[in-house]
Amino acid sequence: MQRAIESQGIPTVLITLDTEQSGLMRPPRAIHPEGFEFGHSTGKPFDKETQTAVVRAALEQLEVKQEPGQIHSKRFPGY
Amino acid sequence: MEMSRKAIPYTPNPMALKDMTIMIVSTAGAHLKEQNPFDTAGDATYRVIPGDVQAGDMTVTHGAPKEHYNTDEPKKDINCIFPIDRLRELATEGFIKGLAEKHISMMGYAMRLNQINQETAPAIAKEVTKSQADAVILTAG
């Protein structure tokens, strides 16, 4: 999906919890919030602080020139 | 268009976040409560989520085993996998310019990979292009 969108000239960033699967797909830009359970891509329900931090961190990847295919793992201590 | 698995399509982004309109594309199975749920046995369709959606009007249907992806959590707060309110707040504070007029949702774990690669993904890419979003944030569950 991400590849189809990127190839139309629209930059994308993925939040993935499954680095194994996503790694195979070699995403153009991606972050991996370490230790998050599925269903919690951005954080637990109503944990606005963590959700915002994850979304910000993902969006910030758009401003970073990078080597595509790498997944940037990040810790979010609030989780 | 057939895409090589070796080459990674990468669109450089020259824009600053504060000038960008962002669209959500998710494979986490989110949809409006009033829309048809995804077929948990396999589903290559997608749902268009209106830009002015209220988080409370959304729910999740997903075919993955519950021990792998517990949809009870995003059902309590859709922002767990579809961060619509968080993006709106970031737009209000000027971190991004705004949100797209619509967002796209589908169900991962959809089994119909050929159909998704050949039909669904290109159709979604076309929706994104038409939306004039400057970038897309993807979530997978």
Side-chain angles (χ1 to χ4, degrees):
Chain A
M1 189 66 59
Q2 187 175 17
R3 297 166 69 95
I5 297 168
E6 284 272 348
S7 67
Q8 297 299 308
I10 312 251
T12 62
V13 61
L14 168 71
I15 302 171
T16 180
L17 304 185
D18 189 344
T19 48
E20 206 172 306
Q21 278 298 320
S22 297
L24 290 173
M25 295 306 293
R26 305 179 75 208
R29 289 178 198 79
I31 68 159
H32 167 230
E34 284 179 9
F36 282 33
E37 285 176 26
F38 290 103
H40 293 166
S41 286
T42 65
K44 291 175 184 164
F46 310 111
D47 180 358
K48 201 167 142 178
E49 206 173 309
T50 301
Q51 291 178 0
T52 302
V54 173
V55 173
R56 267 179 187 271
L59 292 172
E60 279 166 355
Q61 290 296 324
L62 290 164
E63 282 187 331
V64 181
K65 194 175 171 186
Q66 52 190 292
E67 194 174 325
Q70 296 185 343
I71 297 172
H72 302 276
S73 280
K74 285 185 188 294
R75 284 179 165 277
F76 294 90
Y79 184 78
Chain B
M1 181 178 67
E2 190 66 30
M3 275 182 285
S4 156
R5 287 182 65 84
K6 281 185 189 161
I8 305 172
Y10 175 78
T11 301
N13 171 44
M15 296 178 75
L17 279 170
K18 65 177 175 54
D19 299 321
M20 297 179 79
T21 299
I22 305 293
M23 182 176 192
I24 303 173
V25 175
S26 176
T27 57
H31 58 88
L32 296 180
K33 287 174 181 168
E34 66 185 33
Q35 287 173 329
N36 283 335
F38 293 104
D39 180 350
T40 54
D43 198 328
T45 63
Y46 64 92
R47 308 282 179 269
V48 174
I49 309 297
D52 61 356
V53 67
Q54 296 301 305
D57 292 337
M58 296 185 73
T59 188
V60 183
T61 308
H62 203 285
K66 194 167 181 174
E67 63 272 20
H68 185 69
Y69 172 18
N70 182 355
T71 54
D72 292 347
E73 294 286 276
K75 276 177 186 162
K76 294 176 198 161
D77 174 13
I78 204 75
N79 289 289
C80 291
I81 46 106
F82 197 90
I84 185 87
D85 291 328
R86 301 296 86 85
L87 285 171
R88 283 182 182 139
E89 290 153 6
L90 290 171
T92 303
E93 70 178 64
F95 185 75
I96 56 173
K97 183 178 166 195
L99 276 72
E101 288 173 3
K102 62 185 176 188
H103 307 281
I104 302 286
S105 179
M106 64 173 291
M107 184 184 81
Y109 205 76
M111 309 300 184
R112 303 184 182 178
L113 276 184
N114 273 338
Q115 195 183 351
I116 287 169
N117 285 335
Q118 285 162 23
E119 295 170 25
T120 315
I124 291 175
K126 199 178 273 180
E127 296 264 15
V128 174
T129 311
K130 278 194 302 191
S131 79
Q132 298 182 328
D134 296 308
V136 170
I137 185 167
L138 295 108
T139 58

